[in-house]
Amino acid sequence: MRKLVILIACAAVFSACDDTPKKKYKPGSIGALNTVAVVMPNAMWEGAVGDKVREHFAAPLIGLTWDEPRFNLEHMPPSVFTGTTRHRRSVLYVSRDSVTGAQVRSDLYASPQMVGVVKGTTDSAIMAAIETHAGQIIDSIRTMEMEEAQERFRRSLSKETIFQDKFGVTLRLPSIYKVGKQEENFVWIDREIQKGSMNIIAYEMPGDSFDNDSTFVRDIVRMRDSIGKLYIPGPDVPGKVTYMGTEKAFAPSVFPAEVGGKPAAEVRGIWEIVNYPMAGPFLTYIINDPENNRKLVLEGFTFAPATNKRDYMFELEAILRTVRFGNSPADSGPAAK
């Protein structure tokens, strides 16, 4: 009995000495991808402040066949923002306050979660704060949404090794994607969707490609069109050759990027089927890989007539950005930014 008392006393002492901070439990966040809960009074939402929020957070995305917003916005007054409603993954909270400013807070009520907070002494001050800080808040939300999409891929990953076998890279690829075509320097995988398909292609270009900045966009179009003519045929049309090319009426947009830890060019535009009325959006990454004296080209494109395509293209981007070079598996590290 005496030994038992001593053991209990020792346990109590050690327990009292354990000052390790206890992690506070955060519930899992909820909400559809690319959807932001906007918390502000009704009058503010219906006025100039709401217009300023929509101007930035619902701005049309580049490279889609028609205007689609960057985010879907779901307004709610502050009185509704309680309980599980606070568990929304992406939140923009706008209010009057004695100070003016903005900040981004992560995992405030749930995890993962990003809450952009904008306050101001007047509506004009609030709009000025939105104008100044919207980019930072949008980037934070978008990065989190990209990581969330990539995390969801883990639920059912493909065991396909064709990218590793042909190009020495890996992708975190959902198992629903299947290999459709492969050539010596070309891979095409796709998945069926309700009204069409989502597609990823990969190929290599010589390391000294695109050396002339003045012809960069023209050279990209020429590259895409030549690959399309070789490997991506369109429907059979008597007396005509059909293949996937680049929409001639709209020059693609090009941005600097980093993909798989390497410098890259990000290209967004519209593809078309030459000699046939069919088109859709594409996203191309031209990745500089000097160690292998090449440019690795990864592209995602969607065929989904009469359907919104933003979320399809977001999924394709999320997949392409998991690329890893060498023997490091795409599923082993953190999601690519």
Side-chain angles (χ1 to χ4, degrees), residues 110-141:
S111 180
Q113 185 182 56
M114 204 63 66
V115 181
V117 181
V118 181
K119 297 182 178 182
T121 55
T122 64
D123 283 3
S124 295
I126 292 172
M127 288 190 288
I130 293 171
E131 187 73 34
T132 301
H133 298 282
Q136 175 196 2
I137 298 171
I138 288 169
D139 288 347
S140 298
I141 291 175

Side-chain angles (χ1 to χ4, degrees), residues 37-234:
V38 182
V39 183
M40 65 168 66
N42 290 335
M44 194 178 288
W45 173 251
E46 294 166 1
V49 175
D51 289 342
K52 180 60 69 173
V53 168
R54 288 183 283 273
E55 175 188 332
H56 288 277
F57 289 81
L61 283 174
I62 293 172
L64 298 179
T65 47
W66 58 70
D67 284 352
E68 295 185 55
R70 180 187 305 277
F71 299 118
N72 293 337
L73 304 183
E74 296 184 354
H75 168 251
M76 61 184 71
S79 59
V80 175
F81 191 57
T82 60
T84 57
T85 307
R86 289 187 170 187
H87 299 167
R88 298 292 292 273
R89 192 172 53 259
S90 302
V91 179
L92 177 65
Y93 193 98
V94 183
S95 67
R96 288 276 191 95
D97 204 296
S98 57
V99 296
T100 297
Q103 61 178 317
V104 182
R105 303 188 62 181
S106 60
D107 299 348
L108 193 59
Y109 305 107
S111 180
Q113 185 182 56
M114 204 63 66
V115 181
V117 181
V118 181
K119 297 182 178 182
T121 55
T122 64
D123 283 3
S124 295
I126 292 172
M127 288 190 288
I130 293 171
E131 187 73 34
T132 301
H133 298 282
Q136 175 196 2
I137 298 171
I138 288 169
D139 288 347
S140 298
I141 291 175
R142 192 175 185 281
T143 296
M144 178 192 62
E145 294 291 77
M146 187 68 63
E147 291 174 346
E148 173 66 15
Q150 292 167 340
E151 187 62 28
R152 293 181 183 184
F153 297 159
R154 294 182 187 272
R155 298 172 185 173
S156 180
L157 285 173
S158 172
K159 294 182 172 58
E160 181 59 62
T161 63
I162 190 168
F163 291 102
Q164 178 70 57
D165 298 340
K166 282 193 173 293
F167 305 115
V169 301
T170 55
L171 292 175
R172 192 182 299 174
L173 187 68
S175 59
I176 195 170
Y177 287 82
K178 306 299 180 184
V179 177
K181 176 185 286 190
Q182 57 175 307
E183 304 288 346
E184 183 178 352
N185 181 36
F186 181 81
V187 170
W188 182 359
I189 66 169
D190 64 349
R191 62 165 289 194
E192 291 186 3
I193 53 179
Q194 187 173 7
K195 294 184 178 181
S197 64
M198 296 165 61
N199 307 265
I200 292 174
I201 60 175
Y203 52 94
E204 294 176 330
M205 295 291 289
D208 59 357
S209 302
F210 313 110
D211 280 348
N212 190 337
D213 290 344
S214 64
T215 62
F216 189 46
V217 174
R218 190 190 318 155
D219 292 341
I220 290 172
V221 171
R222 186 181 296 114
M223 173 193 72
R224 291 195 69 261
D225 291 356
S226 64
I227 291 293
K229 192 170 186 177
L230 278 173
Y231 301 119
I232 310 177

